[in-house]
Coordinates of all heavy atoms in Angstrom, one line a residue:
V540 N 0.8 -1.2 0.0 CA 0.0 0.0 0.0 C 0.9 1.2 0.0 O 0.6 2.2 -0.8 CB -0.9 0.0 1.2 CG1 -1.7 1.3 1.3 CG2 -1.9 -1.2 1.1
L541 N 1.9 1.2 0.8 CA 2.8 2.4 0.9 C 3.6 2.6 -0.4 O 3.7 3.7 -0.9 CB 3.9 2.2 2.0 CG 3.3 2.2 3.4 CD1 4.4 2.0 4.4 CD2 2.5 3.4 3.7
I542 N 4.0 1.5 -1.1 CA 4.7 1.6 -2.4 C 3.8 2.2 -3.4 O 4.2 3.1 -4.2 CB 5.2 0.2 -2.8 CG1 6.4 -0.2 -1.9 CG2 5.7 0.2 -4.3 CD1 6.8 -1.7 -2.2
L543 N 2.5 1.8 -3.5 CA 1.6 2.3 -4.4 C 1.4 3.8 -4.2 O 1.3 4.6 -5.2 CB 0.3 1.6 -4.4 CG 0.3 0.1 -4.8 CD1 -1.1 -0.5 -4.6 CD2 0.6 0.1 -6.3
V544 N 1.3 4.2 -3.0 CA 1.1 5.6 -2.6 C 2.3 6.5 -3.0 O 2.2 7.7 -3.4 CB 0.8 5.8 -1.1 CG1 0.8 7.3 -0.7 CG2 -0.6 5.2 -0.8
M545 N 3.5 5.9 -3.0 CA 4.7 6.6 -3.4 C 4.7 7.1 -4.8 O 5.4 8.1 -5.1 CB 6.0 5.6 -3.2 CG 6.4 5.3 -1.8 SD 7.9 4.2 -1.8 CE 8.1 4.1 0.0
F546 N 4.0 6.5 -5.7 CA 3.9 6.9 -7.0 C 2.9 8.1 -7.3 O 2.8 8.5 -8.4 CB 3.6 5.7 -8.0 CG 4.7 4.8 -8.2 CD1 4.9 3.7 -7.3 CD2 5.6 5.0 -9.2 CE1 6.0 2.8 -7.5 CE2 6.7 4.1 -9.4 CZ 6.9 3.1 -8.6
I547 N 2.2 8.5 -6.3 CA 1.2 9.5 -6.5 C 1.8 10.9 -6.2 O 1.8 11.8 -7.1 CB 0.0 9.3 -5.6 CG1 -0.7 7.9 -6.0 CG2 -1.1 10.4 -5.8 CD1 -1.8 7.5 -5.1
G548 N 2.1 11.2 -5.0 CA 2.7 12.5 -4.6 C 1.6 13.5 -4.2 O 0.4 13.1 -4.1
G549 N 2.0 14.7 -3.9 CA 1.0 15.7 -3.5 C 0.3 16.4 -4.6 O 0.3 16.0 -5.8
C550 N -0.4 17.5 -4.3 CA -1.2 18.2 -5.3 C -0.2 19.2 -6.1 O 0.8 19.6 -5.6 CB -2.3 19.0 -4.6 SG -3.5 18.0 -3.8
A551 N -0.7 19.6 -7.2 CA 0.1 20.6 -8.0 C 0.0 21.9 -7.1 O -1.0 22.2 -6.5 CB -0.6 20.9 -9.3
G552 N 1.1 22.7 -7.1 CA 1.1 23.9 -6.3 C 1.3 23.7 -4.9 O 1.3 24.6 -4.1
S553 N 1.6 22.4 -4.4 CA 1.9 22.1 -3.0 C 3.4 22.1 -2.9 O 4.2 22.2 -3.8 CB 1.3 20.8 -2.6 OG 2.0 19.7 -3.2
T554 N 3.9 21.8 -1.7 CA 5.3 21.6 -1.5 C 5.7 20.1 -1.6 O 6.8 19.7 -1.4 CB 5.7 22.1 -0.1 OG1 5.0 21.4 0.9 CG2 5.5 23.6 0.1
G555 N 4.7 19.2 -1.9 CA 4.9 17.8 -2.1 C 5.6 17.5 -3.4 O 5.5 18.3 -4.4
G556 N 6.2 16.3 -3.5 CA 6.8 15.9 -4.7 C 5.9 14.9 -5.5 O 4.7 14.9 -5.4
G557 N 6.6 13.9 -6.1 CA 5.9 12.9 -6.8 C 5.3 13.3 -8.2 O 5.6 14.4 -8.7
M558 N 4.5 12.5 -8.8 CA 3.9 12.8 -10.1 C 2.8 13.8 -10.0 O 2.4 14.4 -11.0 CB 3.4 11.5 -10.8 CG 4.6 10.6 -11.2 SD 4.0 9.3 -12.4 CE 3.2 8.2 -11.3
K559 N 2.2 14.0 -8.8 CA 1.2 14.9 -8.5 C -0.2 14.3 -8.8 O -0.5 13.6 -9.8 CB 1.3 16.3 -9.3 CG 2.6 17.0 -9.0 CD 2.6 17.5 -7.6 CE 3.8 18.4 -7.3 NZ 5.1 17.7 -7.4
V560 N -1.1 14.6 -7.8 CA -2.5 14.1 -7.9 C -3.2 14.5 -9.1 O -3.9 13.7 -9.7 CB -3.2 14.5 -6.6 CG1 -4.7 14.1 -6.7 CG2 -2.6 14.0 -5.4
V561 N -3.0 15.7 -9.6 CA -3.8 16.2 -10.7 C -3.4 15.4 -12.0 O -4.3 15.2 -12.8 CB -3.5 17.7 -11.0 CG1 -2.0 18.0 -11.3 CG2 -4.4 18.3 -12.0
R562 N -2.1 15.0 -12.1 CA -1.8 14.2 -13.3 C -2.4 12.9 -13.3 O -2.9 12.4 -14.3 CB -0.2 14.1 -13.4 CG 0.5 15.4 -13.8 CD 1.9 15.1 -14.1 NE 2.6 16.3 -14.5 CZ 3.4 17.0 -13.7 NH1 3.6 16.6 -12.5 NH2 4.0 18.1 -14.2
I563 N -2.4 12.2 -12.1 CA -3.1 10.9 -11.9 C -4.6 11.0 -12.3 O -5.1 10.2 -13.0 CB -2.9 10.4 -10.5 CG1 -1.4 10.3 -10.1 CG2 -3.6 9.0 -10.4 CD1 -0.6 9.4 -11.0
L564 N -5.2 12.1 -11.8 CA -6.6 12.3 -12.0 C -7.0 12.5 -13.5 O -7.9 11.9 -14.0 CB -7.1 13.5 -11.2 CG -8.6 13.8 -11.3 CD1 -9.5 12.7 -11.0 CD2 -8.9 15.1 -10.4
I565 N -6.2 13.4 -14.1 CA -6.4 13.6 -15.5 C -6.1 12.4 -16.4 O -6.9 12.1 -17.3 CB -5.6 14.8 -16.0 CG1 -6.1 16.1 -15.4 CG2 -5.6 14.9 -17.6 CD1 -5.3 17.4 -15.7
L566 N -5.1 11.6 -16.0 CA -4.8 10.4 -16.8 C -6.0 9.4 -16.6 O -6.3 8.7 -17.6 CB -3.5 9.8 -16.3 CG -2.2 10.3 -16.9 CD1 -1.0 9.6 -16.3 CD2 -2.2 10.2 -18.4
L567 N -6.5 9.3 -15.4 CA -7.6 8.4 -15.2 C -8.9 8.8 -16.0 O -9.5 8.0 -16.7 CB -8.0 8.3 -13.7 CG -7.0 7.6 -12.8 CD1 -7.4 7.8 -11.4 CD2 -6.9 6.1 -13.2
R568 N -9.1 10.1 -16.1 CA -10.3 10.6 -16.9 C -10.0 10.4 -18.4 O -10.9 10.2 -19.1 CB -10.5 12.0 -16.5 CG -11.1 12.2 -15.1 CD -11.4 13.6 -14.7 NE -12.1 13.6 -13.4 CZ -12.5 14.8 -12.8 NH1 -12.2 15.9 -13.3 NH2 -13.1 14.7 -11.6
Y569 N -8.8 10.6 -18.8 CA -8.4 10.4 -20.2 C -8.6 9.0 -20.6 O -9.1 8.6 -21.6 CB -6.9 10.9 -20.4 CG -6.4 10.5 -21.7 CD1 -6.8 11.2 -22.9 CD2 -5.4 9.6 -21.9 CE1 -6.3 10.9 -24.1 CE2 -4.9 9.3 -23.1 CZ -5.3 9.9 -24.3 OH -4.8 9.6 -25.5
S570 N -8.2 8.0 -19.7 CA -8.3 6.6 -20.0 C -9.8 6.2 -20.1 O -10.2 5.4 -20.9 CB -7.6 5.8 -18.8 OG -6.3 6.1 -18.8
R571 N -10.6 6.8 -19.2 CA -12.0 6.5 -19.2 C -12.6 7.0 -20.5 O -13.5 6.4 -21.1 CB -12.7 7.2 -18.0 CG -14.2 6.9 -17.9 CD -14.8 7.6 -16.7 NE -16.2 7.4 -16.6 CZ -17.0 8.0 -15.7 NH1 -16.5 8.9 -14.9 NH2 -18.3 7.8 -15.7
A572 N -12.2 8.2 -21.0 CA -12.7 8.8 -22.2 C -12.3 7.9 -23.4 O -13.1 7.7 -24.4 CB -12.2 10.2 -22.4
E573 N -11.1 7.4 -23.4 CA -10.6 6.5 -24.5 C -11.4 5.2 -24.5 O -11.7 4.6 -25.6 CB -9.1 6.2 -24.3 CG -8.2 7.4 -24.6 CD -8.4 7.9 -26.0 OE1 -8.2 7.1 -26.9 OE2 -8.8 9.1 -26.2
L574 N -11.7 4.6 -23.3 CA -12.5 3.4 -23.2 C -13.9 3.7 -23.8 O -14.5 2.8 -24.5 CB -12.6 2.9 -21.8 CG -11.4 2.3 -21.2 CD1 -11.5 2.0 -19.7 CD2 -11.0 1.0 -22.0
F575 N -14.5 4.9 -23.5 CA -15.8 5.2 -24.0 C -15.8 5.3 -25.5 O -16.7 4.9 -26.2 CB -16.2 6.6 -23.4 CG -17.6 7.0 -23.8 CD1 -18.7 6.5 -23.1 CD2 -17.8 7.9 -24.8 CE1 -20.0 6.9 -23.5 CE2 -19.1 8.3 -25.2 CZ -20.2 7.8 -24.5
K576 N -14.7 5.8 -26.1 CA -14.5 5.9 -27.5 C -14.5 4.5 -28.2 O -14.9 4.4 -29.4 CB -13.3 6.7 -27.9 CG -13.4 8.2 -27.7 CD -12.2 8.9 -28.1 CE -12.3 10.4 -27.8 NZ -11.0 11.1 -28.1
V577 N -13.9 3.5 -27.5 CA -13.9 2.2 -28.0 C -15.3 1.6 -28.2 O -15.6 1.0 -29.2 CB -13.1 1.2 -27.1 CG1 -13.2 -0.2 -27.5 CG2 -11.6 1.7 -27.1
I578 N -16.2 2.0 -27.3 CA -17.6 1.5 -27.3 C -18.4 2.4 -28.3 O -19.2 1.9 -29.1 CB -18.2 1.6 -25.9 CG1 -17.4 0.7 -25.0 CG2 -19.7 1.1 -26.0 CD1 -17.8 0.8 -23.5
H579 N -18.1 3.7 -28.3 CA -18.8 4.6 -29.2 C -17.8 5.4 -30.0 O -17.4 6.5 -29.7 CB -19.7 5.6 -28.3 CG -20.6 4.9 -27.4 ND1 -21.8 4.3 -27.8 CD2 -20.5 4.7 -26.0 CE1 -22.4 3.8 -26.7 NE2 -21.6 4.0 -25.7
P580 N -17.3 4.8 -31.1 CA -16.3 5.4 -31.9 C -16.6 6.8 -32.4 O -15.7 7.6 -32.6 CB -16.1 4.4 -33.1 CG -16.7 3.1 -32.6 CD -17.8 3.5 -31.7

């Protein structure tokens, strides 16, 4: 669980490091949009 969390990081504009929560969130929404396109081209 700790290792998985290590890959996330803090929010954009924070003092935290990592890949940043906003990037993870946008990537997840982008992936969802791409899956939707597979069903509805």
Side-chain angles (χ1 to χ4, degrees):
V540 174
L541 295 181
I542 290 173
L543 291 174
V544 171
M545 285 181 180
F546 283 90
I547 299 173
C550 298
S553 72
T554 58
M558 288 195 285
K559 299 293 184 298
V560 173
V561 65
R562 288 193 178 97
I563 304 297
L564 177 57
I565 290 175
L566 277 180
L567 289 173
R568 289 182 174 178
Y569 172 70
S570 300
R571 183 180 177 185
E573 289 300 302
L574 286 173
F575 184 80
K576 287 180 182 179
V577 171
I578 301 171
H579 305 283

